[in-house]
Amino acid sequence: MPRHSIVIPVFNERDGLEELFLRMKEVADQIVDSSSDDAEIILVNDGSKDGSLEKLDEIATRDNRFKVLHLSRNFGHQVAITAGLEWASGDTVTVMDADLQDPPEVILEFIQKWREGFEVVYAVRRSRAGETKFKLWTAKLFYRIIRRITQFDIPVDTGDFRLMDRRAADAFLKLRERHRFIRGLVSWIGYKQVGVPYDRAERKHGQTHYPFKKMLKFALDGVTSFSMFPLQIATYVGVASAACAFLGILYTLYLKFGTEKTIHGWTSLMIVVLFLGGVQLLAIGVIGEYLGRVFDEVRRRPLYFISRSVGFDQSPVGYGEVTRQVLVRS
Ligand code: UDP
Ligand code: MG
């Protein structure tokens, strides 16, 4: 009897949790009824401060298929998902947003594809309701850019809404990096993957936790995790400006020794100084982005801490990854 785990990161989603519970319960019932498979829903409370905590605890008492992990603070969307995946025990694990933008009913299609033998089933956004023009446009641009500058096949217009089977989930969990761009990491592991188109719904309650600044950081994490292209740009620009400089040198020598012209230097000097200064600062900035991330990685801090859990057979207290390995071994 296969078990299906569904991992849902929750950050300040109080008003939407009741509806999430009802919709998700319906889908869990369908999974159980139609195939007598088992379902487990792991709600990861990513340090909510709006009363989601109490609501989640209450949900866990109403249906024992719903389990809750309370992280010790807000670690961010991608880490919250990782924590949930780590504690999921299913033969398949599906990641879904708490705001019902990912319709839970699509999970039934995922499971169907899994039965057909696919190891990763990801949802492709056919349409996106209720997003600003700016978000739609930047997201579209971003997925196309990242596709061009990486050598991995990261499918366009997909989020983290996807199913992984046990083998793929275990492979994914071996990737311990801190700046996690999950949709890229899952492509990176390979295996048999397939996309399922769906219409992304509007957010029903509350508002997005991805303001522009966080979106930008997320985009930078994606680019720096999967591409060296920004670093290489510095090389290309360097080669081009060195070539220009060589021509410039020849020209100034010619003016000096071959003609009687006096050189009006200020304009050309300013152009060269400002251009090169700008390019250099930009290149240092790019190096800084990579270096900062390298620094974060070498510290090897645990990805997250768990403050409390509800409904698990083994109690995942403590340090996440470290504790789990100990528990599994003993
Ligand atoms: N989320 C989280 N931690 C965060 C930010 C978001 O767990 O620091 C959760 C949030 O509760 C939701 C999912 O991640 O379930 C996606 O977030 P959101 O809906 O704000 O992103 P958007 O859909 O606007 O891209
Ligand atoms: Mg959302």
Side-chain angles (χ1 to χ4, degrees):
M1 188 171 80
R3 167 181 267 202
H4 304 285
S5 301
I6 293 116
V7 168
I8 309 178
V10 177
F11 178 54
N12 295 347
E13 302 279 3
R14 182 192 54 211
D15 296 336
L17 287 177
E18 180 64 26
E19 195 179 340
L20 171 71
F21 170 68
L22 295 174
R23 288 265 300 270
M24 200 55 245
K25 185 171 156 23
E26 187 79 19
V27 170
D29 289 343
Q30 281 188 47
I31 292 172
V32 175
D33 291 347
S34 65
S35 55
S36 72
D37 288 2
D38 188 15
E40 147 189 87
I41 294 97
I42 300 182
L43 298 154
V44 185
N45 172 20
D46 187 17
S48 301
K49 289 204 168 79
D50 68 339
S52 296
L53 183 148
E54 290 77 13
K55 183 68 193 170
L56 289 171
D57 283 349
E58 186 223 295
I59 285 175
T61 61
R62 274 156 68 188
D63 185 328
N64 64 11
R65 290 173 300 188
F66 286 72
K67 304 171 181 181
V68 186
L69 278 181
H70 294 289
L71 302 188
S72 63
R73 64 167 171 84
N74 178 259
F75 283 94
H77 179 202
Q78 304 283 296
V79 171
I81 290 175
T82 308
L85 286 172
E86 203 142 40
W87 293 98
S89 58
D91 301 283
T92 78
V93 193
T94 299
V95 175
M96 192 186 98
D97 282 357
D99 56 7
L100 291 172
Q101 286 195 283
D102 306 329
E105 295 73 25
V106 179
I107 297 174
L108 300 169
E109 287 179 51
F110 287 176
I111 293 176
Q112 189 50 41
K113 286 282 179 211
W114 172 71
R115 292 223 167 82
E116 289 169 19
F118 291 100
E119 287 153 312
V120 175
V121 188
Y122 55 86
V124 184
R125 298 160 180 168
R126 190 163 40 199
S127 67
R128 296 181 81 164
E131 303 282 16
T132 59
K133 272 233 160 67
F134 179 73
K135 176 137 183 175
L136 292 179
W137 189 79
T138 46
K140 201 170 166 175
L141 185 71
F142 169 67
Y143 288 115
R144 276 145 190 88
I145 288 179
I146 198 155
R147 197 184 165 81
R148 292 214 81 165
I149 63 177
T150 60
Q151 65 264 55
F152 313 109
D153 194 17
I154 300 177
V156 294
D157 304 327
T158 62
D160 294 323
F161 187 27
R162 59 183 72 215
L163 173 147
M164 284 178 253
D165 86 340
R166 181 43 47 203
R167 203 149 66 121
D170 283 345
F172 169 82
L173 288 171
K174 293 229 162 72
L175 312 177
R176 302 306 313 173
E177 58 211 78
R178 310 197 48 73
H179 293 271
R180 306 177 74 74
F181 184 66
I182 292 183
R183 47 206 76 170
L185 295 176
V186 178
S187 303
W188 187 87
I189 60 171
Y191 296 112
K192 255 177 95 176
Q193 309 212 359
V194 68
V196 170
Y198 83 114
D199 297 303
R200 188 160 164 89
E202 203 167 335
R203 185 179 244 282
K204 293 260 178 67
H205 304 270
Q207 44 184 303
T208 175
H209 304 293
Y210 274 98
F212 181 68
K213 214 174 132 192
K214 262 202 196 168
M215 256 162 62
L216 195 66
K217 185 188 167 294
F218 184 63
L220 278 176
D221 279 346
V223 171
T224 52
S225 309
F226 287 97
S227 173
M228 300 287 175
F229 184 69
L231 285 173
Q232 290 159 345
I233 290 177
T235 317
Y236 302 146
V237 175
V239 170
S241 55
C244 291
F246 182 67
L247 294 179
I249 288 167
L250 290 184
Y251 180 60
T252 43
L253 288 178
Y254 163 72
L255 289 183
K256 169 99 180 139
F257 296 112
T259 68
E260 294 297 308
K261 276 189 203 158
T262 47
I263 302 170
H264 296 291
W266 195 76
T267 311
S268 54
L269 211 60
M270 282 311 275
I271 289 172
V272 171
V273 168
L274 291 178
F275 174 76
L276 283 184
V279 167
Q280 281 171 3
L281 282 181
L282 206 69
I284 291 174
V286 171
I287 295 171
E289 288 291 334
Y290 280 87
L291 186 66
R293 283 170 173 77
V294 171
F295 187 41
D296 259 355
E297 298 295 343
V298 296
R299 278 191 289 236
R300 302 214 53 81
R301 291 182 183 156
L303 278 180
Y304 61 90
F305 289 97
I306 291 168
S307 64
R308 191 163 56 84
S309 68
V310 188
F312 289 86
D313 303 338
Q314 291 172 317
S315 201
V317 283
Y319 309 144
E321 63 199 294
V322 178
T323 318
R324 170 140 204 230
Q325 281 161 8
V326 173
L327 282 175
V328 170
R329 256 187 260 119
S330 60

